[in-house]
Amino acid sequence: MLAEQENKIIGLIYEAALKPDIWNDVLAEVVKLTGSTTAILSITDQLCPGHDIVFSHNISQQCMQVYQDEKVKVIDMHLHAPQWNDKSLGDTLLSSFASYADMPGTDQFLFYEKCVKPTNITHVAAVLLERSIYSWAVFAVHRAPQLMQYSDQEAQVLQRLGMHFVVLYKFIDR
């Protein structure tokens, strides 16, 4: 059953490369597969902000506007990109935002107040699609605090899917 669901998502990933309007469907299927509550595909380029792209599933439009208008996505990149230093493109990272609520006056707390708290997420499993000094692209799924953290087995599923995201990253219409 898992292989069938993964194959369906892989097909959708390649279809989305040709029809960008179905990226939200891809994210919805990954959320369903992983038992997540939200998902985001974020491409941030500080040198060419007009090329930034964000697709999301189950994240309110208000939260997405904050992510765009307040440049929180740049804070996101600066906070989280260093966690990928020992990882390769397509690798996964399991993390938590739980401690951010206890860090007033920091970028972590700002990110918590603007993005984490309003979307009721804590646990994160992400796939690195691209990184440089001024840009990065990441696909992530999230779970609410009352749900279990992501397991290594779930990280492997995301890594298998992530290989296809990495291959098609350059073809995402931006």
Side-chain angles (χ1 to χ4, degrees):
M1 182 67 172
L2 183 60
E4 185 177 315
Q5 289 175 297
E6 282 185 51
N7 287 334
K8 176 183 177 182
I9 294 168
I10 291 166
L12 281 173
I13 291 168
Y14 285 95
E15 190 175 345
L18 300 172
K19 298 183 222 171
D21 57 313
I22 68 166
W23 277 111
N24 293 332
D25 297 338
V26 174
L27 300 182
E29 288 296 324
V30 177
V31 162
K32 187 171 25 171
L33 174 69
T34 60
S36 299
T37 50
T38 64
I40 192 165
L41 172 60
S42 179
I43 301 168
T44 302
D45 186 336
Q46 289 180 275
L47 299 179
C48 298
H51 291 156
D52 291 0
I53 290 180
V54 179
F55 294 105
S56 68
H57 174 72
N58 211 21
I59 299 174
S60 73
Q61 189 59 37
Q62 181 182 7
C63 288
M64 293 310 302
Q65 287 173 342
V66 167
Y67 192 74
Q68 298 288 341
D69 293 342
E70 304 241 355
K71 304 299 182 199
V72 176
K73 63 185 170 186
V74 174
I75 291 172
D76 182 17
M77 182 178 90
H78 286 289
L79 285 177
H80 303 119
Q83 297 175 1
W84 295 96
N85 285 343
D86 297 332
K87 302 278 187 174
S88 299
L89 298 183
D91 282 349
T92 57
L93 182 69
L94 305 180
S95 188
S96 172
F97 297 134
S99 65
Y100 290 13
D102 301 327
M103 303 172 126
T106 65
D107 282 345
Q108 288 88 339
F109 188 77
L110 177 66
F111 187 76
Y112 171 80
E113 285 291 315
K114 299 288 185 181
C115 296
V116 175
K117 185 177 177 182
T119 54
N120 192 36
I121 60 173
T122 296
H123 312 295
V124 182
V127 178
L128 181 65
L129 306 178
E130 188 262 337
R131 75 163 163 235
S132 72
I133 294 172
Y134 299 105
S135 65
W136 82 325
V138 65
F139 166 71
V141 289
H142 317 98
R143 286 186 177 150
Q146 69 273 16
L147 298 175
M148 298 291 294
Q149 292 184 16
Y150 290 95
S151 69
D152 289 337
Q153 182 181 5
E154 290 167 317
Q156 290 172 359
V157 169
L158 284 173
Q159 190 165 11
R160 287 192 298 269
L161 294 174
M163 290 185 293
H164 301 280
F165 276 101
V166 170
V167 167
L168 292 177
Y169 162 73
K170 296 296 181 189
F171 296 103
I172 294 174
D173 186 24
R174 46 187 184 136

